């Protein structure tokens, strides 16, 4: 009997003989660690530190300890959306820009290392977004009072609100064939001094933007067809489109508030 022989070792030896031949040395397997691509890493860091992801807090700071032992104080920031939504947006951005992203688990680890608080309320941080959120709440209260299609309309309102908070931010571009995504065209007015000149046609369509516009038109039609005690107030609530404020804000953020027209 061969000492210390087990059934597993016996069958492993037979498998090695069939694969490599009798008496051949077992080659140790090499485990390779994949390093970060510096460009991909920088691309993701730029994304999560952009003003569409984080908000600067007016007070407080955090202590950052570098690998060299140096300690630095950095301003306290808060993320406006959850990590899952951040990674989803980033993957969509990479797909549109034809950039190969890092692995999903790596992105989560980077978010954990890049410390930031997750927002619970935008009150006092971004009142523009806060008012837009309140407008959606008022619309939901109004939808409940409608005689029909209440649940379907509430679901569509939630989808529109979620779209404005997440995907809309990465759709805005300096040049886009979708009218609602092209910042110079969408922010332009009838005044020639504030009207963008595009060198492309706006002949593409965004399903999410179109569905949102159809939703508000449908709400206005249903409200007009019903009888209300405070009719003027109700009509004002529906006529004031909360999505326009949020869309305009995201476009101004995209251009850093400095959109120059010719």
């Amino acid at each position: 009997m061969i000492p210390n022989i087990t059934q597993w070792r016996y069958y492993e030896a037979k498998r090695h003989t069939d694969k490599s031949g009798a008496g051949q040395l077992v080659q140790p397997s090499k485990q390779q660690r994949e390093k970060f691509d510096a460009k991909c890493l920088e691309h993701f860091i730029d994304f999560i530190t952009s003003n569409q992801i984080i908000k600067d807090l007016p007070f407080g700071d955090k202590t950052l300890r570098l690998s060299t032992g140096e300690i630095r104080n950095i301003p306290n920031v808060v993320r406006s959306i959850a990590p899952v939504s951040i990674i989803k947006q980033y993957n969509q951005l990479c797909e549109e820009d034809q950039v190969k992203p890092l692995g999903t688990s790596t992105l989560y680890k980077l978010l954990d290392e890049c410390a930031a608080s997750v927002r619970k309320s935008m009150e006092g941080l971004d009142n523009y977004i806060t008012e837009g959120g309140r407008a959606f709440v008022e619309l939901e209260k109004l939808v409940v009072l409608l005689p029909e299609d209440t649940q379907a309309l509430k679901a569509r309102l939630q989808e529109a609100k979620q779209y404005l908070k997440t995907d809309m931010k990465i759709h805005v571009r300096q040049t886009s064939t979708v009218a609602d995504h092209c910042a110079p065209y969408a922010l332009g007015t009838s005044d020639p001094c504030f009207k963008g000149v595009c060198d492309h046609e706006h002949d593409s369509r965004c399903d999410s933007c179109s569905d949102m516009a159809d939703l508000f038109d449908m709400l206005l039609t249903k409200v007009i067809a019903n009888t209300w005690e405070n009719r003027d107030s109700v009509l004002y609530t529906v006529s004031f489109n909360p999505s326009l404020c949020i869309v305009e804000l995201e476009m101004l953020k995209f251009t850093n508030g400095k959109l120059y027209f010719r």
Side-chain angles (χ1 to χ4, degrees), residues 168 171-189 194-198 200 202 247-248 250-256 258-261:
M168 179 65 191
H171 287 171
V172 178
R173 291 286 187 273
Q174 190 68 38
T175 58
S176 176
T177 56
V178 180
D180 292 333
H181 299 172
C182 184
Y185 180 82
L187 292 175
T189 65
F194 298 96
K195 184 177 182 180
V197 178
C198 299
H200 55 272
H202 302 99
V247 170
E248 181 178 336
E250 296 305 332
M251 290 184 176
L252 289 174
K253 287 179 181 177
F254 172 77
T255 57
N256 294 323
K258 298 178 181 179
L259 190 62
Y260 300 104
F261 298 109

Side-chain angles (χ1 to χ4, degrees), residues 112-129:
D112 290 337
E113 292 297 327
C114 299
S117 304
V118 178
R119 71 147 191 193
K120 295 182 179 179
S121 173
M122 294 304 294
E123 191 77 34
L125 298 178
D126 196 330
N127 292 328
Y128 211 67
I129 294 293

